[in-house]
């Protein structure tokens, strides 16, 4: 592969590949499993006998999540400084956001859950080499599913680290090794590199 390990390269005929060592595979799997736990089951749970029609017509929540990480994954559709600048009534904005969330959040959760499951399944299907590492090849819809999950992971970790501005991000990246946030910062940076190089292969 023509690029350093841990970064995606394009595959002939379409798709992307990345060399991952045993530790990277384990970290990725652990992070995505935690993401799945955070997102939670779909409407009616994940029971095999759940009524698919009931899930299809189930309404979502109307209030934003209290967990900051979930609030990043499922933000309000309306509001923010631009809406305030336009003089829109805050009560009207809240009502719009509630209605939008009610009819879209369940589908969004389902998509994020399916993306994360696809990542776990592709990691589980890897055939380790002698050193425990492997080359992951993504074709078909998998590159986009991986992009979705890598973005969700970075949003989640960013929320845990309270990263809100580029200047604040740079300060976190210079943390000393003994800072307890350092492992999360390193994961955030590494996932960003994976995301960026995967985007490059699809450009």
């Amino acid at each position: 592969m023509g690029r350093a390990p841990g970064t995606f390269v394009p595959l002939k005929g379409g798709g992307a590949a990345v060399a991952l060592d045993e530790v990277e595979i384990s970290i990725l799997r652990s992070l995505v499993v935690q993401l799945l736990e955070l997102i939670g089951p779909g409407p009616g749970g994940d029971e095999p006998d759940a009524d698919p029609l009931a899930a299809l017509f189930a309404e979502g929540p109307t209030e934003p999540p209290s967990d900051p990480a979930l609030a990043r994954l499922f933000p309000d559709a309306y509001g923010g400084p631009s809406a305030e600048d336009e003089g829109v009534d805050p009560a009207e904005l809240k009502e719009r956001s509630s209605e939008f969330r009610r009819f879209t959040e369940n589908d969004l959760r389902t998509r994020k859950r399916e993306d994360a499951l696809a990542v776990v399944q592709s990691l589980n299907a890897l055939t380790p080499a002698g050193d425990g590492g492997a080359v992951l090849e993504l074709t078909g819809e998998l590159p986009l599913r991986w992009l979705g999950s890598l973005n969700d992971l970075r949003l989640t970790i960013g929320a845990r680290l309270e990263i809100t501005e580029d200047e604040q991000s740079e300060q976190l990246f210079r943390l000393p090794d003994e800072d307890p946030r350092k492992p999360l910062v390193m994961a955030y940076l590494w996932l960003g590199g994976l995301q960026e190089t995967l985007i490059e292969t699809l450009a």
Side-chain angles (χ1 to χ4, degrees):
M1 299 177 64
R3 188 178 281 173
T7 60
F8 280 97
V9 296
L11 284 173
K12 290 182 179 178
V18 62
L20 298 170
D21 64 32
E22 188 175 11
V23 174
E24 290 171 332
I25 293 169
S26 177
I27 290 173
L28 264 176
R29 185 186 289 111
S30 175
L31 288 173
V32 178
V33 167
Q34 291 177 61
L35 177 64
L36 280 165
E37 293 172 351
L38 179 67
I39 294 171
D46 287 333
E47 298 86 353
D49 58 347
D51 183 354
L53 284 178
L56 181 64
F57 293 106
E59 293 184 354
T62 58
E63 296 295 325
S66 57
D67 185 313
L70 282 174
R72 288 271 184 100
L73 293 176
F74 305 103
D76 274 336
Y78 302 96
S82 61
E84 293 175 6
D85 292 343
E86 293 170 6
V88 183
D89 179 33
E92 182 182 345
L93 285 175
K94 187 176 187 305
E95 184 178 352
R96 285 187 200 172
S97 294
S98 295
E99 282 297 292
F100 188 85
R101 186 180 296 277
R102 183 159 66 99
F103 292 112
T104 62
E105 185 168 311
N106 283 344
D107 287 342
L108 186 56
R109 280 182 184 265
T110 297
R111 194 194 76 206
K112 290 180 181 297
R113 190 181 307 109
E114 289 174 349
D115 287 348
L117 284 171
V119 171
V120 172
Q121 289 164 0
S122 54
L123 289 173
N124 289 343
L126 288 176
T127 302
D131 59 359
V135 174
L136 172 73
E137 295 188 353
L138 304 178
T139 57
E141 65 177 12
L142 280 177
L144 291 179
R145 290 200 175 278
W146 267 74
L147 267 182
S149 262
L150 288 172
N151 186 61
D152 289 343
L153 284 172
R154 294 194 80 234
L155 286 173
T156 301
I157 294 174
R160 297 294 184 234
L161 292 170
E162 299 182 345
I163 296 176
T164 55
E165 299 175 1
D166 291 341
E167 186 175 333
Q168 188 177 12
S169 302
E170 292 174 5
Q171 292 173 359
L172 282 171
F173 300 156
R174 294 194 294 268
L175 288 177
D177 290 343
E178 60 271 17
D179 192 294
R181 295 170 294 173
K182 188 73 172 186
L184 269 185
V185 169
M186 297 307 295
Y188 184 84
L189 286 169
W190 175 55
L191 292 168
L194 286 175
Q195 184 181 19
E196 182 179 351
T197 56
L198 181 52
I199 290 173
E200 289 175 1
T201 68
L202 302 177

